[in-house]
Amino acid sequence: MASLMRESHPLTLKVMRLSRPTLADSRALPMDSSTAVLAQALREAEQNRPTASGQIFSDLQLSDAQLPLDAFPLSEALVLPRTFGTMFLGETFSAQMCICNESAFVVRDVAVNVVMQTATQQVPLLDNGATQLAAGQPLNVQVAHEIKELGTHVLGCTITYLSAQGEHRTLQRSFRFQAANPLVVKTKVNHLERDVLLEVQVHNATHATLVLERLRFEPSSPFAAEDLNAPHGDTALLWGGSAGFMQPGDARQYLYRLRAPVASEEASVEQERAVQYATALGKLDILWRGAFGSVGRLQTSQLLRKSPGMFLIEVDKAEIDKTDIAKDPSVTLETPFCVRARVRNVSENAMTILATVDANKHPLVMPCGPTRHDLGDLAVGEAREICLEFLPLAAGVQRFGAMVFVDSVSGYTRELGHLLEVFVA
Amino acid sequence: MSSLLSGIRSLSPQSPTDTARRALNDVRLFVPTPLTDALDDLVHAHTPTDRPTPRRDAPTPDAFAGRMHSYEILNQYIVGAQWRALALAAEASILETPADEERTLFKLWTYRILALCSLGHYANAAREIRRLEVATMGASVYEHVHPRSPTIVWPFELRVLRAQVAGLALDDWPTCADRLSSLHRACHRRLARQTDVELNQQRTVRLSFMLATCAVRMRDAQLAVRVMDHLVSEAPTDPRLTSAMARLHLQLGSIREAELQFVKVEQLIPPDDKLARMNRALYAVASGKWEAARDLFHSVAGDVPEEHVCAANNAFVCEVYLGHPQRMLDALQRLMVAAPRAAGASEELVFNYCTGLDLHYDGAKLREEKARKMVDVATWAGDGFNTASFKLQ
């Protein structure tokens, strides 16, 4: 009954998704070329079925003796897509639409309007001007739309025309499909002093093999990104050969170091705040390919971190006072050494700072000089350097330099767990 | 059956307790062959009764029973894709061959299994192979287990079919890969002993390709590429092998790697060689450059597209992506008429053509066009034509 009530139209509308064609599977059953009695017959049969054969032809007269190609799994013939397949976020949906006049009369003023409707928006794809279709004549148009949302998409087609009886009529059809997520991206943020180590895991959530062609991290200010995945910048190990293949369910992990600008005396408090309070790390840009090169591209939203924030009194530089520190950052057991620490007032008011070394917190590296240092008045953004002496009493990697900073003006106190770690040889 | 006998199972050839070796010409080794043809059935179902349908062979067992059929006759059936006739003729010949002529019997069994596989009766082929295994227990099917086996040796082709049937019948591609690997190792051992060097080199190449097929079916792209890499490393100057490698990369989506391989091929052959043009055309398809791909395919097909059916088909497929599906339909139809066996009875071309029909027509008109195409195909196609190519829902 529903079909009887449906309007009949002289026009038909068909839509075909234009995913990539693929090479047909070779269906020849290969046999020995020389000794088998049926080998010659099979070769003749293969010549009658070139689209089912795995043979590859050249104008050069190359012998098959060394290289029988009859068992190669792919033929040279392209086959159109067998099914609609699955649509994924980041791919481009393109379709061939055919409007055909199946009546015996001319249909005039045929106008086609196509939109893509998602949960959040309606995107116009095509608005063809009026044309005329003779009996049996088709009108072919193509539409394309980049899939940027997950979930239900509806391709809505509206065709208006003037029938043979002079009546204005409308044919409406809609085609619904789902857009799924091809890749699941998880990140983990680790802090390394001022820098950030960003771990990225990418998981193939489809049922097909993907080829990951590019994964790039685009950092946000003030960070600069260092790719730790390609040793010496050799990306062939990451993406070349079979390395780029991701089977269904495979996961890959990547590591980036996001470097914050080095703290300097010239840097203002505002610049330092911009670094310490920065939450946006950057975005990942991923490019992959499916069968026969179909492209997909995704960019994540801003990856965020919980900002470490700032104390009102910062030690923005602390280093062991040693001429060859770059070559040999260790100190000698039971030999005193000096540490230069730069203390900065990063609050919004002037401070009078008193710094005290806690002698009990790290007993294996004892302070052996003055433990109280009066830094005096520090204006906003101003820094002062102090020299602290320590005596290492145990070998190995040791933390030391627990300190307390007190502003006698406001009463603000900052406790520092340790200044540095050092290797005691 | 009497209730007294219920629950009692008689020994079958598959029973593990049945250790008696049957003769290779034992009638109990055969599984009844279905003699219907899907294409025949389809043509009769969709063609109006007042229209003539093409006459196709409908072999019956009686026409073949009781006599030997020569290899020439059997080979003619292969060339004509008369797989039902081949299956029946091979069966009849096996039954007429003395049991002690084991070499002849194995050759005939190769024809038989080939026919069943070509008809798509993979389950029947698997059952008959299993019965043959039991019948020749201890023979050199499992050569890696019994390297110094008794005199019965399965022909290489039959062992290959046995491996492939595991995948085709049961979708058990890991078992297929295991069996092919076993054969590969056996061929390598012979090569190491310098036995039949050229033959065993060819066999290792074929087996490697078949292993790559298993890997593709198992969706293990990395394994497929590794197998091909190994092959290419042994013949780096053969442009066809490098092209094969590149095309596999294209199919799997690894476009950059495909490009690198295609560049290597271009260094081995003249730039206007049809292999170079075909490679460039396929690369253009993968890059979405449809006009360039179409023109390159046309340059390969030239003025005689019926002699280059694949290139011609590919050029016409590009027309769909260029927004001209009607051109594809018209051109494919002309090609199928010009080369009725190579093109008109090609499952791939029929599929592409029917996809074009689905896009262009609807309802009764679509059914009519497809029925017309079925009649055309039935005039030239042999047995076992995959009727899914007509895309009848």
Side-chain angles (χ1 to χ4, degrees):
Chain A
M1 181 59 97
S3 60
L4 286 175
M5 290 170 67
R6 203 171 163 185
E7 278 186 272
S8 64
H9 293 269
L11 302 178
T12 57
L13 168 66
K14 290 291 197 69
V15 179
M16 175 181 142
R17 181 185 166 191
L18 289 177
S19 36
R20 291 282 164 85
T22 49
L23 290 170
D25 292 337
S26 150
R27 286 175 286 109
L29 287 168
M31 298 284 152
D32 271 348
S33 59
S34 54
T35 60
V37 66
L38 40 52
Q40 184 56 35
L42 279 170
R43 283 193 157 224
E44 269 187 61
E46 197 179 283
Q47 280 165 8
N48 289 335
R49 301 194 305 165
T51 58
S53 160
Q55 289 288 356
I56 294 176
F57 298 100
S58 167
D59 290 327
L60 301 175
Q61 297 303 316
L62 295 166
S63 162
D64 275 346
Q66 295 302 314
L67 185 65
L69 277 160
D70 50 356
F72 182 57
L74 303 172
S75 90
E76 289 195 309
L78 287 172
V79 176
L80 288 167
R82 293 188 183 276
T83 61
F84 182 88
T86 310
M87 203 68 229
F88 290 110
L89 186 68
E91 290 184 329
T92 297
F93 170 80
S94 58
Q96 180 71 36
M97 303 177 71
C98 181
I99 301 114
C100 192
N101 176 9
E102 296 217 328
S103 72
F105 308 101
V106 173
V107 175
R108 286 188 291 271
D109 293 350
V110 178
V112 183
N113 179 276
V114 182
V115 298
M116 182 70 78
Q117 176 77 49
T118 66
T120 59
Q121 57 180 338
Q122 188 177 78
V123 179
L125 300 185
L126 181 78
D127 198 353
N128 238 11
T131 188
Q132 185 171 289
L133 290 180
Q137 184 185 355
L139 170 64
N140 285 296
V141 292
Q142 283 189 351
V143 294
H145 172 73
E146 194 182 334
I147 303 294
K148 293 180 184 172
E149 285 179 58
L150 289 171
T152 305
H153 287 62
V154 179
L155 184 73
C157 312
T158 307
I159 304 167
T160 56
Y161 62 95
L162 199 62
S163 70
Q165 292 76 34
E167 217 183 316
H168 282 282
R169 299 188 68 192
T170 302
L171 168 65
Q172 278 186 311
R173 293 282 184 268
S174 61
F175 304 89
R176 188 181 295 261
F177 61 90
Q178 295 291 323
N181 206 356
L183 299 171
V184 174
V185 180
K186 292 181 185 170
T187 57
K188 188 177 169 195
V189 173
N190 307 282
H191 286 97
L192 186 71
E193 297 172 1
R194 287 168 67 80
D195 295 343
V196 174
L197 281 177
L198 180 67
E199 292 177 48
V200 175
Q201 185 189 77
V202 178
H203 167 78
N204 177 3
T206 73
H207 292 295
T209 300
L210 300 179
V211 178
L212 214 54
E213 205 168 86
R214 184 183 74 211
L215 190 141
R216 195 166 54 198
F217 185 76
E218 293 164 356
S220 297
S221 175
F223 296 105
E226 183 186 350
D227 186 341
L228 299 177
N229 305 294
H232 312 299
D234 183 7
T235 56
L237 291 172
L238 278 182
W239 318 115
S242 60
F245 289 118
M246 284 184 77
Q247 318 274 55
D250 270 1
R252 296 286 179 86
Q253 290 195 253
Y254 302 93
L255 189 62
Y256 297 89
R257 181 168 182 162
L258 308 185
R259 291 186 182 274
V262 175
S264 66
E265 290 189 43
E266 293 75 29
S268 67
V269 173
E270 286 71 28
Q271 285 170 327
E272 190 58 25
R273 276 210 192 99
V275 173
Q276 297 292 347
Y277 285 104
T279 52
L281 297 176
K283 295 181 184 179
L284 275 169
D285 183 30
I286 309 172
L287 180 74
W288 74 89
R289 296 231 187 216
F292 238 85
S294 62
V295 183
R297 187 177 169 197
L298 274 181
Q299 197 176 57
T300 62
S301 50
Q302 259 316 326
L303 299 174
L304 301 174
R305 68 160 179 178
K306 191 175 164 186
S307 69
M310 281 171 67
F311 295 99
L312 300 181
I313 301 170
E314 282 286 348
V315 176
D316 60 13
K317 184 177 164 189
E319 59 184 16
I320 295 170
D321 189 11
K322 196 176 162 191
T323 46
D324 60 345
I325 187 72
K327 275 189 191 171
D328 178 17
S330 66
V331 296
T332 311
L333 183 65
E334 294 178 354
T335 303
F337 65 94
C338 188
V339 171
R340 293 195 173 280
R342 188 168 68 210
V343 181
R344 184 188 289 267
N345 170 11
V346 293
S347 72
E348 291 170 356
N349 303 299
M351 284 184 166
T352 303
I353 298 175
L354 179 69
T356 311
V357 181
D358 185 342
N360 299 317
K361 191 140 186 211
H362 300 292
L364 299 180
V365 183
M366 299 272 308
C368 65
T371 56
R372 284 168 61 91
H373 296 265
D374 186 352
L375 276 73
D377 297 333
L378 287 172
V380 172
E382 191 182 349
R384 200 149 291 158
E385 201 171 271
I386 53 176
C387 185
L388 306 165
E389 285 187 39
F390 294 89
L391 178 70
L393 299 177
V397 177
Q398 306 292 346
R399 283 186 175 178
F400 68 97
M403 297 185 73
V404 176
F405 300 92
V406 179
D407 172 28
S408 58
V409 173
S410 63
Y412 172 80
T413 303
R414 184 201 165 172
E415 290 184 21
L416 183 68
H418 66 280
L419 258 183
L420 286 172
E421 286 181 348
V422 71
F423 178 66
V424 181
Chain B
M1 182 184 283
S2 162
S3 61
L4 289 173
L5 299 176
S6 64
I8 297 174
R9 289 172 61 200
S10 58
L11 290 177
S12 71
Q14 285 98 343
S15 165
T17 62
D18 179 5
T19 56
R21 273 169 65 164
R22 294 186 191 282
L24 293 178
N25 62 354
D26 192 317
V27 69
R28 287 170 291 184
L29 296 176
F30 293 98
V31 173
T33 311
L35 292 175
T36 54
D37 181 63
L39 182 56
D40 273 346
D41 293 343
L42 215 60
V43 167
H44 287 112
H46 288 84
T47 309
T49 48
D50 57 344
R51 277 203 209 152
T53 54
R55 283 196 61 183
R56 290 169 57 79
D57 279 343
T60 59
D62 293 339
F64 296 88
R67 58 193 171 95
M68 282 291 294
H69 301 266
S70 66
Y71 290 137
E72 285 76 22
I73 298 288
L74 297 179
N75 288 341
Q76 278 175 26
Y77 291 143
I78 291 177
V79 174
Q82 293 169 272
W83 305 113
R84 287 176 291 173
L86 180 64
L88 291 172
E91 180 182 355
S93 300
I94 288 168
L95 292 172
E96 293 300 312
T97 301
D100 59 349
E101 290 183 26
E102 283 169 344
R103 273 193 200 283
T104 304
L105 283 165
F106 269 122
K107 279 183 186 165
L108 292 168
W109 271 109
T110 306
Y111 278 101
R112 169 77 180 178
I113 301 297
L114 173 66
L116 291 177
C117 288
S118 300
L119 284 166
H121 298 318
Y122 303 120
N124 286 3
R127 286 168 69 191
E128 289 192 1
I129 282 182
R130 182 71 192 116
R131 291 178 184 183
L132 263 183
E133 284 173 12
V134 174
T136 56
M137 257 189 298
S140 185
V141 177
Y142 312 103
E143 190 169 323
H144 65 289
V145 175
H146 302 287
R148 293 192 189 153
S149 55
T151 54
I152 301 175
V153 176
W154 281 38
F156 178 77
E157 292 83 7
L158 194 56
R159 284 184 275 173
V160 166
L161 280 171
R162 173 179 170 266
Q164 291 183 301
V165 159
L168 295 166
L170 303 166
D171 215 24
D172 185 3
W173 295 104
T175 298
C176 176
D178 283 343
R179 290 176 178 178
L180 292 172
S181 299
S182 171
L183 286 173
H184 199 277
R185 284 194 296 277
C187 292
H188 254 294
R189 278 197 295 273
R190 286 202 170 83
L191 271 177
R193 291 196 296 262
Q194 296 291 307
T195 310
D196 293 325
V197 169
E198 189 177 305
L199 176 66
N200 283 297
Q201 275 174 344
Q202 286 181 11
R203 285 177 172 178
T204 51
V205 170
R206 281 206 175 85
L207 288 166
S208 296
F209 278 132
M210 285 188 253
L211 280 165
T213 304
C214 284
V216 170
R217 299 280 186 272
M218 290 191 291
R219 297 186 181 192
D220 192 337
Q222 280 150 345
L223 176 61
V225 165
R226 272 207 304 275
V227 169
M228 291 297 296
D229 259 338
H230 179 70
L231 262 180
V232 170
S233 67
E234 296 194 343
T237 56
D238 193 313
R240 295 168 304 163
L241 189 49
T242 310
S243 296
M245 173 77 161
R247 291 174 189 190
L248 182 63
H249 274 294
L250 277 188
Q251 184 87 335
L252 295 171
S254 178
I255 305 306
R256 273 196 199 150
E257 199 57 36
E259 187 185 3
L260 289 173
Q261 301 296 330
F262 283 139
V263 164
K264 284 182 194 168
V265 173
E266 300 255 338
Q267 290 161 358
L268 297 169
I269 52 177
D272 59 349
D273 188 297
K274 70 179 169 199
L275 177 59
R277 283 179 281 148
M278 198 71 170
N279 286 344
R280 276 182 237 135
L282 289 170
Y283 183 75
V285 167
S287 306
K289 296 185 172 130
W290 302 105
E291 214 167 303
R294 179 199 58 194
D295 294 343
L296 281 162
F297 284 129
H298 271 309
S299 76
V300 175
D303 296 328
V304 197
E306 52 269 28
E307 290 182 11
H308 301 93
V309 170
C310 290
N313 165 76
N314 296 353
F316 306 150
V317 162
C318 291
E319 294 289 3
V320 175
Y321 293 86
L322 288 166
H324 311 301
Q326 187 64 43
R327 285 187 200 169
M328 179 195 75
L329 274 178
D330 296 339
L332 275 179
Q333 177 61 16
R334 283 194 299 271
L335 178 63
M336 287 163 145
V337 167
R341 206 179 285 279
S346 156
E347 291 173 13
E348 291 75 21
L349 265 69
V350 169
F351 179 86
N352 288 341
Y353 185 81
C354 288
T355 303
L357 288 179
D358 283 343
L359 186 57
H360 195 83
Y361 298 109
D362 201 7
K365 181 71 176 164
L366 176 62
R367 285 192 295 274
E368 191 186 316
E369 290 292 330
K370 285 195 177 179
R372 207 195 310 269
K373 181 49 61 185
M374 281 177 219
V375 170
D376 290 343
V377 172
T379 308
W380 295 98
D383 294 340
F385 185 89
N386 185 357
T387 54
S389 305
F390 294 107
K391 302 185 74 179
L392 302 167
Q393 269 81 24

